[in-house]
Amino acid sequence: MKSLIVTGGGAGLGRTIAEQASTVGYRVGILDVNEELAVKASSSIENSVPLVASVTSYDEISDALATFGESPDVWINNAGIVRFAPLLDLSIDDWKSVVDVNLTGTFLCSSLVAKAMIDKGGGSIVNITSINGISAGTNSGAYGSTKSAISLLTQQMSLEWGQYGIRVNAVAPGLIDGGMSAPIYADPQFRKLRTEKVPTGRLGSEIDVANAVLFLSSDEASYITGHELVVDGGIINSIIANLPRPSSVDTVGIDEH
Ligand SMILES: NC(=O)c1ccc[n+]([C@@H]2O[C@H](COP(=O)([O-])OP(=O)(O)OC[C@H]3O[C@@H](n4cnc5c(N)ncnc54)[C@H](O)[C@@H]3O)[C@@H](O)[C@H]2O)c1
């Protein structure tokens, strides 16, 4: 039986990734800093164990790997936090918290698990980024900056660790109806305004993200590494289409002579 550990697995996207991974036959480690959430999630997911650790702690992640009892075939860096504020109002403490959990946590966990995967002969790592790491967004400068950095870190790790049989990819979710965004979509007005902007006409689900993560984790993706798969119903490509433009402008540049 193959095994997978997902960080931030106690809630939101991480929990759904854990559920789907169990459904397709993985033994699953549900790693979360929140013990109650990890234990609760594990109690309803077959073949899973709770692992209580912060992705920011080398010792806690080492202990979690020891508790899991084997080097996992797959590691998902999903734990992430956001602190909303315009840059001019963002405290240094909030900046540091976001960098610590999102970026440093991804580096710390990946380098620890990569060492175990090298001994095992290989593995697969998937990092959860965001479309907010591709394009800047309102009040989310710290968050977006870490997600963009994780995209580059994904390439760097794939470059350095391919020789050990370790593939490293990223999934960039768009407007997801769940997890940390649940409060946004609980407001019917925001829900409608945002949904209208998505070319496919709907918000994404946690399962949309989990499916992409499990594809990149799987042997079906054995020749894919260093890739960031955007799962957003097309919204990141629609920024210019969302700008108002008078139809008369369509003739600009056409030589009428
Ligand atoms: N929900 C969205 O709309 C959305 C969109 C794009 C990207 N993402 C990304 O998806 C990932 C999951 O987000 P979510 O929406 O499920 O968030 P969430 O807040 O619902 O869940 C995050 C989980 O991570 C855990 N966690 C927080 N800090 C931790 C730490 N230091 N160590 C271990 N666990 C920790 C929390 O306890 C929680 O269980 C994040 O990386 C987020 O940036 C989410």
Side-chain angles (χ1 to χ4, degrees), residues 158 167-169 215-227:
S158 71
R167 295 184 300 106
V168 189
N169 291 290
F215 165 66
L216 287 173
S217 306
S218 73
D219 290 342
E220 277 70 47
S222 66
Y223 203 52
I224 302 174
T225 193
H227 185 73

Side-chain angles (χ1 to χ4, degrees), residues 2 4 18-19 43-44 98 115 125 134 138 160 166 172 176-177 182 184-185 234:
K2 287 203 170 189
L4 173 152
E19 281 165 1
S43 67
S44 65
V98 175
K115 285 171 189 146
I125 297 172
I134 299 171
T138 318
E160 295 191 18
I166 301 172
I176 305 301
D177 190 10
I184 300 176
Y185 300 115

Side-chain angles (χ1 to χ4, degrees), residues 2-5 26-30 47-51 62-75 120:
K2 287 203 170 189
S3 59
L4 173 152
I5 294 178
Y26 284 100
R27 174 175 177 251
V28 179
I30 299 174
N47 284 323
S48 73
V49 287
L51 301 168
S62 301
D63 289 350
L65 273 170
T67 305
F68 194 60
E70 61 175 317
S71 167
D73 298 286
V74 178
W75 182 277
K120 192 170 174 167

